[in-house]
Amino acid sequence: MANSNSTNVPQIQIRFITKQQQFAVPDYPLSVLTSITTNELNSLVNELLKESQQLEKEIDFDFLISSQFLRTTLSEHISEKSLSIEQVIDIEYIEKHQPPEPQNCLIHDDWVSAVAVCQKWILTGCYDNTLHIWTSKAKHQLVIPGHTSPIKAVAWVSLNETNGKFISASHDQTAIIWDWNIKTNSVDCIHVCKGHERGLEAIGVNYDKSLMATGSWDTMLKIWSTSSQDETEDGEPNAKKLKADHGKIKVPKRTMKGHKEAISGIVWSDKTELITSSWDHTLKIWDSELGGIKHEIMGNKSFFDLDYSELSRTVITASADKHVRLYDPRSTEGAVVKAMFTSHTQWVQTVRWSNVDHHLFLSGAYDNEVKLWDTRSPKAPLFDLSGHEDKVLCCNWSNPKLIVSGGADNTVRIFKSKQFVH
């Protein structure tokens, strides 16, 4: 690989390794210049592949050294990671993630502040107090009035061929549990969840969908049953069914206090464990059965959102600076922040993990951008998913094939994700 102009550029021994066996090449050491770039490494792997097997076309690869993507020259990466150039450097290569393709734009009458996807159905909540159901092909299925203030969070509870059940949380201090008859395309309000004293910001539904948690500007975290049965505070069936204007009142099973400001995000990390983010600069880990705080993590800014990955058992957060942070909520030693992802130019408002690849997540910000990240590339996202013309307020990746985001431009943008499972 050396030429006469590069006599003073040192050489280094590398070895190519991969977990994708269909692209395996011989793993003997090769000498390359330390100034080699990812494009040149890509050509080299493709040459080796052509020698060892019949390839129809060139394949684009990404390269990992010490579990981080190579985004600079080899020498810069080596010095940053303090690796010795005396030893053979293992370079892992994986097929490059394909760029998500823009699909549809769902136009609403007001800001879209909440979005949740289940199979082919997209549920959205808006600042004009309405809920909407759309198909992934952009057909507007239903508009649902009912709340009297902006909707800040939505979540699916269940879905089958004939019925869907979902929840909406609003600044009108209530969460509503809805039943949607898909055949007749009509909804019933099953329960109005009352108990918060200020507007709601967040909903989290547990793994078996039997419980949900709500977080509010009143700083309280409340746990509710999602069951269609009426229950009192202690969980007993309620004989005196309280009638609301449009549905039955449901009271919380448990109320937990601990935050000093609004709760902005809620995720269940286990059967009885929740993690919340708050404007009070903290993340708190709760025991839903004992009703207390198990652990808390201090941040240095207000948190606007968080998400938990069952695959990696880590948390990502959006906050009132330009960074997304990765936390290990169970870490007791060393730095609590495991990584920081910096590319947005304004406040990050929303984050969501992929549920099929433990390295991938989305972030959306006030800079109008949605970004697709790989945790192994903290300095640069894999892709910028442009399209929004105002700040991004919410995003969702529950359906691995659909990346969905809503914003203050009154739209929901849909990207088709071409995701490999590594």
Side-chain angles (χ1 to χ4, degrees), residues 83-103:
L83 300 173
S84 163
I85 59 167
E86 305 302 317
Q87 288 163 335
V88 177
I89 303 279
D90 281 343
I91 300 183
E92 184 186 345
Y93 57 100
I94 59 172
E95 192 177 355
K96 210 173 217 167
H97 199 292
Q98 296 297 302
E101 287 177 0
Q103 294 292 296

Side-chain angles (χ1 to χ4, degrees), residues 206-249:
N206 73 345
Y207 293 124
D208 67 6
K209 312 294 188 184
S210 63
L211 296 173
M212 67 165 184
T214 53
S216 158
W217 283 88
D218 66 9
T219 74
M220 297 300 171
L221 177 65
K222 291 181 185 282
I223 311 281
W224 318 73
S225 161
T226 59
S227 127
S228 300
Q229 304 302 310
D230 253 7
E231 291 173 346
T232 58
E233 185 104 29
D234 58 8
E236 291 299 315
N238 190 350
K240 299 198 315 254
K241 283 192 169 23
L242 299 164
K243 291 283 181 186
D245 297 337
H246 53 306
K248 304 173 199 70
I249 300 277

Side-chain angles (χ1 to χ4, degrees), residues 92 203 290:
E92 184 186 345
I203 306 172
L290 297 176

